[in-house]
Structures are given as structure tokens and as C-alpha cells.
């Protein structure tokens, strides 16, 4: 497929070596990871050795100081080879650590970034609570100032990388008297801090090796050094970073749709019925043509947004459009591709079966389809 993103030779070299690594060293273990429900820590470290985690981090903190296109390559190839279950990798690399890079002090960056680059420390972002998902302003977790620290109480749920996370960027209220937009703050809470515990991995219908979990904070004391940026600015920080988070999720969803269609075209060529290949039947050709058209539209949109995001433009409206449309398109494609597989599509040994179940989460996390539409309508002045 033709791309309008200005990839250069360095990005293609990175892509080739990452592809080789994922294909040879990760793909053979996917079934084992699905059974155990987690991507083992040693593979995080191997990804770190590949320079694949947080490639954008400045050299002084152990990174390569690479541009955003390295992150694009990472998200695309992880989605292509490891599927939706591995969403925790781009989440760590391009959704969580950017909070520390943008709002952390030099000391905080020196403390946490190098180990995130090597994969020795895995990160998570904890916003959602049992009583507050789409309505982020309604979170109830609090951090109360106490001497040289804060005491955190509350519960978070559905946290990606939850069971393995060493660093959690946590959204809490530091002031419940003012509006949530002024009373929210972000903290980095480290694994092992007394009062911070994590549940077993939550049982989900899909993305089997993503270790999504609940987190509990009971009189969990952290030092003021764990406050990220300024007290009371948490809501603004979250809003600032959601553009990139939603862009990365959309990029992954786009690649998933492309991969499922490629796989299905191959299947349709090899499957014979009524004495001819399934691919030669007009219904198949029309369905494939429709899906290819939608995928091309998604690709055109996402590539444009990657370029605009790199220029630092405000693309919140367009990214919200991409997030809901591409993730819904992925679900349409997965469903139609499963149909073209007939009964085999319902058998777990066929990739399309897993792809169909896994795709379902994409319209939910990182802001639901409905929340994206609310943002678009609001920004249109409605
Ligand atoms: C696998 C997985 C991983 C996740 N990872 C993380 C993570 O790492 N960190 C994190 O903080 N969160 C994470 N989440 C949480 C995710 O972001 C939330 O599930 C999502 O934001 C929706 O919130 P909710 O589940 O509370 O649904 P609700 O907010 O209760 O929404 C219920 C329904 O109401 C709709 N709705 C919402 N507002 C309106 C409205 N105004 N009008 C009409 N309908 C509306 C929603 O679209 C949805 O269909 C994850 C979720 C999943 C499933």
C-alpha cells in the first residue's frame, strides 16, 4: 500500500530488524503467552535491547533521541506480528513514558527513564476506576498532603500492563473542593510501595496475553518527589497526551485491519468450493473490494495525521475521528473476513477467529466510540 509518511532509510532499517526479531523470537511463543496470560518480562528486555522501547527518549536518559516515526514503526510491527494482545508495548513506550518525559523533573527522568528504555521497568497509566471511565472527571481516588508526602487512597481498574507494572502514572484528586479540572494531579507510584497492591489478571474475552488488572491504594504513602509536574494540573496533562495515545491506538487498529484482509485474501485463494476458488466468486470479490476501500481510506487518514502530529499541530478533532472510525472499521473487516472463512473462521486455530475477538476492545479503550463523537461534536461547537 502506498504511504505518504516520510519514512527514511533509518526507519526501514529499524523496521527490518524489528520484524526479524518479532518473527523469529516472539511469534513462536505466542501460544505459550496466550496460555500464561502475559508477555514475559524477558521479552520486554529483549525489546529494549532492540532499541524498540521509547526510542524517542533523549540520549542522556538512555534512549536514541529518535523521531516519532520510530514509534510509528514500533506500533505497526507490534500490531502486525503480535496482535492486539501486545498493546502494552506501545502503551508503555508512547503513551505512558511521555508523561514522565514531558512533566517530570530532570531527577525524575534520570530515575525512571533509563530502565523504561531497557525494558527493566514496565509502565502503566491508571485513570479508570470502577465508578469512572468515560467520565474521567468523576474519579474518586485521592492523594492528601501529609508532611513531605501524600497519602493515596482509591481503586483503579482495567489497567493495561497491570500485573507487571513497575511504574504507574496514577490520576488522583488532590483537591476535592475545586472543579475536577483543577483538582486532579498525577503521581508516579512504584511497584512495592507499601499500601499499593494489584489484583490477579482480569479474565477478558480477548487479548489473552495482555495482563489487565485492578490496582488498590490503601493509605499508600509517596514522597512529594513522586508528584509529576504541578499539583492540580493532572487533568490538563491527561488531555494533552490523549492526542498521541489515540493516534497510536488508531495506527495499530489500521494495521490489524490490513493484516486480517491480507490473510483472508490468501485463504480465499486457497479455498475451493463448487469447483473453483472462493476468491473467484463475485460476492467474495465485492466484499474484498469494499474492505480494501475502507482500509485505504483509513490509511490515507492515519498517514496524514502522523505527519501533522509530528509537526506539533492540534489534531484532537481529527484523531478522535480516526480513533472511532478506524476501530469500528477494523471490527467490520474482522467480522466480514470471518464470514469469508466459513466455519473455519470460528475455529481458534485460524488467525481470523482470534483477530475478530481481539478487535472488539479497540472501540472501548483509549476512549469509546461514543466519547470520540462527543469530543468531535464539542469541538464543532455543538
Ligand atoms: C482491555 C482494556 C484495557 C484498558 N486499559 C486501560 C488503562 O491502561 N488505563 C486506564 O486508565 N483505563 C484503561 N481501560 C479503561 C477504558 O479506557 C474504559 O473502559 C473506557 O474509557 C470506558 O469506560 P467504562 O468502561 O467505565 O465505560 P462507561 O464510561 O461506563 O461507558 C458505558 C457506555 O456508555 C457510553 N457513554 C459514555 N458517555 C456517554 C454519553 N455522554 N452519552 C452516551 N453514551 C455514553 C460509552 O461509550 C459506553 O458505551 C481499559 C479498558 C479495557 C477494556
Amino acid at each position: 500500500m502506498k504511504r505518504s509518511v516520510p519514512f527514511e532509510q533509518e526507519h526501514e532499517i529499524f523496521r527490518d530488524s524489528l520484524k526479524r526479531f518479532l518473527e523469529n523470537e516472539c511469534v513462536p511463543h505466542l501460544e505459550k503467552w496466550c496460555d500464561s496470560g502475559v508477555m514475559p518480562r524477558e521479552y520486554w528486555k529483549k525489546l529494549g535491547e532492540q532499541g524498540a522501547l521509547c526510542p524517542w527518549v533523549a540520549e542522556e536518559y538512555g534512549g536514541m533521541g529518535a523521531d516519532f516515526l520510530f514509534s510509528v514503526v514500533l506500533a505497526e510491527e507490534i500490531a502486525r506480528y503480535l496482535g492486539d494482545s501486545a498493546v502494552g508495548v506501545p502503551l508503555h513506550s508512547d503513551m505512558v513514558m511521555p508523561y514522565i518525559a514531558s512533566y517530570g523533573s530532570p531527577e525524575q527522568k534520570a530515575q525512571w527513564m533509563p530502565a523504561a528504555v531497557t525494558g527493566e521497568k514496565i509502565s502503566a497509566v491508571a485513570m479508570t476506576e470502577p465508578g469512572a471511565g468515560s467520565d474521567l472527571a468523576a474519579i474518586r481516588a485521592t492523594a492528601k498532603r501529609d508532611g513531605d508526602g501524600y497519602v493515596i487512597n482509591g481503586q483503579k481498574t482495567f489497567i493495561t500492563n497491570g500485573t507487571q507494572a513497575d511504574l504507574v502514572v496514577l490520576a488522583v484528586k488532590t483537591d476535592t473542593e475545586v472543579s475536577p479540572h483543577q483538582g486532579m494531579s498525577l503521581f508516579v507510584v512504584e511497584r512495592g510501595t507499601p499500601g499499593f497492591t494489584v489484583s490477579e489478571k482480569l479474565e477478558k474475552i480477548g487479548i489473552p496475553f495482555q495482563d489487565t488488572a485492578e490496582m488498590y491504594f490503601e493509605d499508600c504513602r509517596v514522597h512529594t518527589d513522586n508528584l509529576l509536574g504541578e499539583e492540580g494540573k493532572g487533568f490538563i496533562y491527561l488531555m494533552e497526551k490523549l492526542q498521541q495515545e489515540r493516534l497510536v491506538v488508531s495506527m495499530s487498529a489500521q494495521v490489524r485491519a490490513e493484516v486480517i484482509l491480507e490473510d483472508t485474501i490468501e485463504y480465499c485463494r486457497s479455498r475451493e468450493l463448487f469447483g473453483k476458488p472462493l476468491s473467484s466468486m463475485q460476492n467474495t470479490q465485492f466484499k474484498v473490494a469494499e474492505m480494501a476501500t475502507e482500509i485505504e481510506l483509513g490509511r490515507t487518514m492515519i498517514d496524514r495525521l502522523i505527519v501533522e502530529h509530528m509537526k506539533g499541530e492540534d489534531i484532537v478533532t481529527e484523531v478522535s475521528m480516526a480513533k472511532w472510525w478506524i476501530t469500528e472499521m477494523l471490527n467490520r473487516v474482522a467480522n466480514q473476513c470471518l464470514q469469508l472463512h466459513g466455519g473455519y473462521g470460528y475455529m481458534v486455530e485460524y488467525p481470523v477467529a482470534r483477530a475478530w475477538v481481539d478487535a472488539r476492545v479497540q472501540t472501548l479503550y483509549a476512549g469509546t466510540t461514543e466519547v470520540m463523537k462527543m469530543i468531535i461534536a464539542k469541538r464543532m461547537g455543538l
Side-chain angles (χ1 to χ4, degrees):
M1 190 174 286
K2 220 162 101 199
R3 303 285 306 262
S4 61
V5 173
F7 290 118
E8 290 182 17
Q9 201 187 6
E10 56 178 2
H11 305 112
E12 295 312 335
I13 292 170
F14 176 61
R15 191 189 292 276
D16 286 345
S17 86
L18 185 59
K19 275 180 165 186
R20 270 198 306 278
F21 167 74
L22 295 171
E23 199 167 13
N24 299 331
E25 298 203 38
C26 297
V27 171
H29 305 291
L30 286 185
E31 231 168 276
K32 222 167 35 192
W33 297 357
C34 288
D35 291 344
S36 66
V38 73
M39 183 174 105
R41 238 167 218 282
E42 63 183 282
Y43 288 90
W44 284 87
K45 291 187 191 155
K46 286 183 186 205
L47 276 167
E49 284 162 21
Q50 292 288 315
L53 299 179
C54 316
W56 48 270
V57 165
E59 286 179 22
E60 60 177 313
Y61 299 120
M64 298 194 293
D67 65 24
F68 184 64
L69 291 183
F70 280 77
S71 300
V72 173
V73 171
L74 174 69
E76 290 182 349
E77 298 313 321
I78 289 280
R80 183 182 320 279
Y81 286 95
L82 307 187
D84 305 279
S85 271
V87 60
V89 174
L91 177 121
H92 163 83
S93 200
D94 294 292
M95 302 180 212
V96 186
M97 293 314 293
Y99 284 107
I100 297 178
S102 296
Y103 311 119
S105 64
E107 293 74 27
Q108 289 174 324
K109 291 185 205 178
Q111 188 181 347
W112 293 314
M113 308 276 286
V117 172
T118 59
E120 283 157 299
K121 287 204 189 298
I122 300 169
S123 65
V125 58
M127 299 179 260
T128 306
E129 300 183 358
S134 306
D135 185 8
L136 184 58
I139 62 165
R140 296 177 62 181
T142 55
K144 295 252 178 278
R145 188 67 198 254
D146 181 41
D148 63 355
Y150 290 83
V151 177
I152 301 174
N153 280 288
Q155 184 183 342
K156 296 289 172 181
T157 193
F158 303 152
I159 306 307
T160 301
N161 294 339
T163 69
Q164 297 211 95
D166 305 287
L167 302 172
V168 180
V169 172
L170 176 70
V172 292
K173 288 204 175 141
T174 37
D175 189 344
T176 49
E177 303 295 311
V178 295
S179 92
H181 306 123
Q182 296 166 324
M184 204 180 284
S185 301
L186 300 184
F187 287 85
V188 176
V189 182
E190 295 185 76
R191 182 192 184 82
T193 307
F196 168 35
T197 50
V198 176
S199 72
E200 293 289 303
K201 186 179 91 80
L202 297 171
E203 290 299 320
K204 308 184 294 304
I205 58 170
I207 53 169
F209 66 86
Q210 170 38 237
D211 60 316
T212 317
E214 297 193 333
M215 294 181 167
Y216 313 101
F217 301 87
E218 285 175 274
D219 292 331
C220 171
R221 203 186 151 75
V222 292
H223 197 271
T224 48
D225 292 346
N226 291 59
L227 175 68
L228 206 51
E230 286 177 48
E231 188 180 308
K233 291 263 175 80
F235 196 84
I236 296 167
Y237 295 159
L238 290 170
M239 294 305 116
E240 282 173 357
K241 290 293 171 209
L242 285 176
Q243 170 166 310
Q244 178 157 311
E245 175 175 328
R246 288 167 183 161
L247 180 60
V248 173
V249 169
S250 308
M251 281 166 6
S252 301
Q254 173 67 28
V255 169
R256 291 305 303 151
E258 291 170 5
V259 169
I260 300 167
L261 181 60
E262 279 163 29
D263 177 62
T264 300
I265 291 172
E266 224 170 278
Y267 177 82
C268 292
R269 285 208 167 103
S270 65
R271 177 74 176 162
E272 291 229 347
L273 56 169
F274 300 104
K276 53 186 179 180
L278 178 54
S279 57
S280 69
M281 293 167 169
Q282 195 179 50
N283 175 67
T284 310
Q285 294 179 352
F286 282 7
K287 292 296 178 197
V288 167
E290 284 166 17
M291 290 189 281
T293 305
E294 288 207 79
I295 286 173
E296 184 69 38
L297 287 170
R299 174 51 67 204
T300 307
M301 184 173 204
I302 205 80
D303 279 0
R304 190 193 105 196
L305 295 183
I306 290 168
V307 172
E308 291 176 0
H309 181 65
M310 287 182 75
K311 286 188 197 153
E313 292 178 19
D314 175 347
I315 50 164
V316 169
T317 308
E318 294 81 356
V319 162
S320 306
M321 291 171 174
K323 164 67 176 61
W324 85 258
W325 192 84
I326 291 174
T327 58
E328 295 283 347
M329 179 271 284
L330 164 64
N331 276 275
R332 283 194 295 278
V333 167
N335 197 42
Q336 188 54 61
C337 285
L338 190 151
Q339 187 70 18
L340 285 172
H341 278 71
Y344 294 96
Y346 205 66
M347 300 297 128
V348 285
E349 71 179 275
Y350 283 79
V352 74
R354 159 101 3 256
W356 177 75
V357 182
D358 288 354
R360 193 61 191 83
V361 76
Q362 298 262 12
T363 65
L364 300 171
Y365 62 26
T368 63
T369 291
E370 293 71 27
V371 167
M372 293 305 105
K373 291 178 183 174
M374 281 163 57
I375 295 169
I376 297 162
K378 192 170 170 205
R379 289 178 65 104
M380 289 174 71
L382 299 174

